Amino acid sequence: MTRYPRDMIGYGPRIPDAQWPAGAKVAVQFVLNYEEGSENNVLHGDAASEAFLSDIPGAAMWQGQRHWNMESIYEYGARAGFWRLHRLFTGADIPVTIYGVASALARNPEQVAAMKTAGWEIACHGLKWVEHKDMPQEDERATIAEAIRLHTEVVGEAPRGWYTGRCSENTVRLAAETGQFDYISDAYDDDLPHWKEYGDRDQLIIPYTLEANDMRFATAPGWNTGAHFGSYLKDAFDTLYAEGQEGSPKMMSIGLHCRLIGRPGKIAALKRFIDYIQGFDDVWCPTRLEIAEHWAKTHPHERRARPSEMSREDFVANFGGIFEHSAWIAEGAHGLELGPAHDSALGLHNALCRVFRSAGDDKRKGVLTAHPDLAGKLAAAGRLTAESASEQAGAGLDMLTDEERATLIRMNADYVEKHGFPFIIAVRDHDKASILENFGRRISNDTETEFVEACRQVERIAEFRLKDLLP
């Protein structure tokens, strides 16, 4: 048995109504990453200088040396960029979420005071602005714990949001296991918050962005001018706003960095974008914590049994009857590479059908012959499976006239004699008259054609049965 842990379906076509406050068509959320003073630096005990997200083209880490130019660019973010952004957002009366690296916050107390005075949310952005991917799991767990401790000491209250950025495959789980965070944002997988389960912890994930993000001023392909960035933001907003008008409100995250967007030639585009969205009355500009609180209240998590997580015994007990009297199909499906994509009716239907389709003709014929005649002897004796009894009753086959019953008995016998298996039809697609019409037409098919059609109908019946059990 193998399991594929990635969630490739998410909400799929079942997008929930965000129900943003005051009927907002879109929630536009600004994040300001505060990393200045936490980057790789030999002064911080690191082996080399920083080389990530600066205006130095092709920057490389200097082993064992301070990189004076790199340091001064980060210092610009703290000395000038932050304050320019502080004036912009407080002047626009828009609260932002700070992704604050704990060690950077500790080295910038005046900026922390300004964040708090403005009423901004200060989420935790890790202990240092360094890669987590190569950290042993226990080291990363300890690093997360120390980040929470130092953040609480510096800010005066514990963080309720977490974003690492340079994370490992373990980061989200380890952060969730602390039980500390209302949300975690190390994900880029949706336009809406969603829940993940880690043991007993129901963890809200609020996805972030690497595309509506000023980091692309420092990466390739990226923004060459502020106008490029501003144009992209406007296009993204207009698309999401239109979706909100159509009844499907989303969230727009915008990622900013003091040392990047804080430069005069870049921030002008951000200001124009803010002016633009403030021309709409039905746009919500919250912090990420406000989104988390709203989502937890409006869309609380509900745990349910998930097929991909079931034991073989439970899986067969739940789905062994989906294909009539053919539990071997469920047994085979349980051994496939199941994952979150198979926890819906259509997803699990695909897995079960794969086993059915790959079986030989004899085994598939066995599935066909396991089906009862329509309104036949088993129905009369009350010996149908619960599913078959409900389906036949739903089509009115339990309320036949004597003439209709006699006709069906005769047609059943003629069909089986000709084809070697009973007439099968997904009765939920039909009424009594339509069933009789299809019966009369299909009985004249050649057996090869009818075998293919009967198998298709078996799969359709299975789909209906799964939809009774799963989303």
Side-chain angles (χ1 to χ4, degrees):
M1 182 185 70
T2 58
R3 290 295 176 261
Y4 191 69
R6 296 171 65 194
D7 186 349
M8 308 291 277
I9 182 65
Y11 293 119
R14 300 166 294 277
I15 301 173
D17 181 355
Q19 299 179 51
W20 299 135
K25 301 299 187 294
V26 60
V28 180
Q29 202 287 304
F30 295 90
V31 168
L32 181 57
N33 293 265
Y34 201 88
E35 299 152 353
E36 285 73 12
S38 65
E39 74 277 13
N40 281 283
N41 192 315
V42 295
L43 293 177
H44 306 158
D46 301 308
S49 62
E50 187 57 71
F52 190 43
L53 294 188
S54 80
D55 285 321
I56 299 176
M61 300 183 82
W62 290 9
Q63 297 296 318
Q65 299 181 59
R66 292 177 64 185
H67 192 314
W68 199 260
N69 292 346
M70 181 65 71
E71 288 185 22
S72 67
I73 285 175
Y74 271 76
E75 287 161 11
Y76 183 93
R79 293 160 57 111
F82 170 81
W83 298 107
R84 185 171 283 122
L85 288 158
H86 185 270
R87 290 190 295 272
L88 173 61
F89 282 107
T90 55
D93 196 26
I94 293 178
V96 304
T97 290
I98 297 290
Y99 282 169
V101 182
S103 56
L105 299 178
R107 293 182 174 116
N108 292 268
E110 193 165 347
Q111 290 90 334
V112 171
M115 297 170 193
K116 294 175 66 175
T117 299
W120 294 353
E121 176 204 356
I122 307 178
C124 192
H125 193 12
L127 180 62
K128 298 173 65 174
W129 178 229
V130 297
E131 292 284 2
H132 281 222
K133 66 181 180 66
D134 296 320
M135 287 186 186
Q137 186 172 211
E138 288 308 308
D139 289 355
E140 186 174 15
R141 180 179 282 111
T143 295
I144 292 171
E146 176 59 14
I148 295 170
R149 186 205 66 78
L150 181 58
H151 180 109
T152 305
E153 180 181 281
V154 171
V155 177
E157 57 184 5
R160 295 172 60 185
W162 176 275
Y163 174 73
T164 316
R166 299 162 87 167
C167 62
S168 77
E169 63 177 297
N170 300 313
T171 303
V172 175
R173 174 177 55 81
L174 293 175
E177 287 175 357
T178 67
Q180 172 67 47
F181 302 109
D182 290 51
Y183 70 89
I184 295 172
S185 285
D186 280 300
Y188 313 94
D189 55 4
D190 214 300
D191 298 309
L192 287 172
H194 55 86
W195 296 92
K196 290 183 73 71
E197 297 173 1
Y198 293 98
D200 295 333
R201 174 70 173 173
D202 297 335
Q203 181 62 62
L204 183 64
I205 306 296
I206 301 183
Y208 185 47
T209 176
L210 297 180
E211 39 86 39
N213 193 312
D214 68 355
M215 66 180 288
R216 293 182 62 182
F217 282 112
T219 60
W223 319 120
N224 292 320
T225 69
H228 293 157
F229 183 46
S231 177
Y232 188 90
L233 294 183
K234 183 178 181 297
D235 285 347
F237 172 85
D238 287 345
T239 298
L240 293 171
Y241 186 84
E243 291 180 5
Q245 288 182 307
E246 295 166 358
S248 184
K250 305 293 195 323
M251 174 185 71
M252 179 180 179
S253 295
I254 300 173
L256 307 170
H257 298 75
C258 300
R259 62 191 175 279
L260 296 175
I261 199 68
R263 294 282 181 173
K266 298 168 184 172
I267 200 171
L270 178 62
K271 185 179 186 307
R272 286 192 294 271
F273 175 73
I274 290 173
D275 290 342
Y276 177 67
I277 65 172
Q278 289 193 318
F280 295 80
D281 294 328
D282 46 3
V283 174
W284 184 38
C285 291
T287 65
R288 290 178 96 71
L289 182 57
E290 288 175 310
I291 290 176
E293 291 173 337
H294 170 83
W295 203 263
K297 179 180 178 181
T298 309
H299 299 283
H301 183 54
E302 296 181 7
R303 292 202 169 205
R304 63 179 176 86
R306 300 178 185 276
S308 67
E309 298 173 359
M310 290 180 180
S311 67
R312 183 175 183 272
E313 181 181 9
D314 288 343
F315 187 91
V316 175
N318 279 276
F319 307 113
I322 297 298
F323 283 73
E324 193 87 0
H325 295 298
S326 302
W328 61 269
I329 294 177
E331 291 168 355
H334 188 262
L336 296 177
E337 186 189 72
L338 302 184
H342 300 96
D343 291 336
S344 67
L346 291 180
L348 186 55
H349 182 254
N350 180 268
L352 293 168
C353 287
R354 285 174 57 192
V355 177
F356 176 61
R357 293 165 187 167
S358 63
D361 285 352
D362 287 346
K363 294 203 74 172
R364 286 191 290 160
K365 185 175 180 179
V367 176
L368 302 187
T369 57
H371 278 258
D373 290 337
L374 293 182
K377 294 178 180 179
L378 291 178
R383 293 171 54 199
L384 294 177
T385 63
E387 293 87 354
S388 287
S390 174
E391 289 157 359
Q392 292 200 23
L397 297 183
D398 61 339
M399 301 284 289
L400 295 173
T401 66
D402 290 343
E403 182 181 354
E404 288 171 335
R405 183 173 290 104
T407 299
L408 271 177
I409 290 173
R410 174 179 53 79
M411 294 175 76
N412 278 324
D414 291 347
Y415 185 97
V416 172
E417 181 179 358
K418 178 176 182 179
H419 297 301
F421 48 83
F423 176 75
I424 300 171
I425 190 168
V427 296
R428 293 200 222 182
D429 283 327
H430 302 274
D431 57 19
K432 185 168 59 176
S434 176
I435 291 170
L436 290 170
E437 187 276 326
N438 273 269
F439 209 155
R441 176 177 51 79
R442 284 174 49 190
I443 198 170
S444 62
N445 286 339
D446 63 85
T447 297
E448 182 179 354
T449 298
E450 195 56 18
F451 181 82
V452 172
E453 179 61 23
C455 288
R456 190 180 73 82
Q457 293 295 322
V458 164
E459 292 186 8
R460 180 66 170 159
I461 292 167
E463 180 181 344
F464 279 121
R465 291 178 177 182
L466 284 168
K467 286 179 176 178
D468 291 337
L469 301 175
L470 296 170

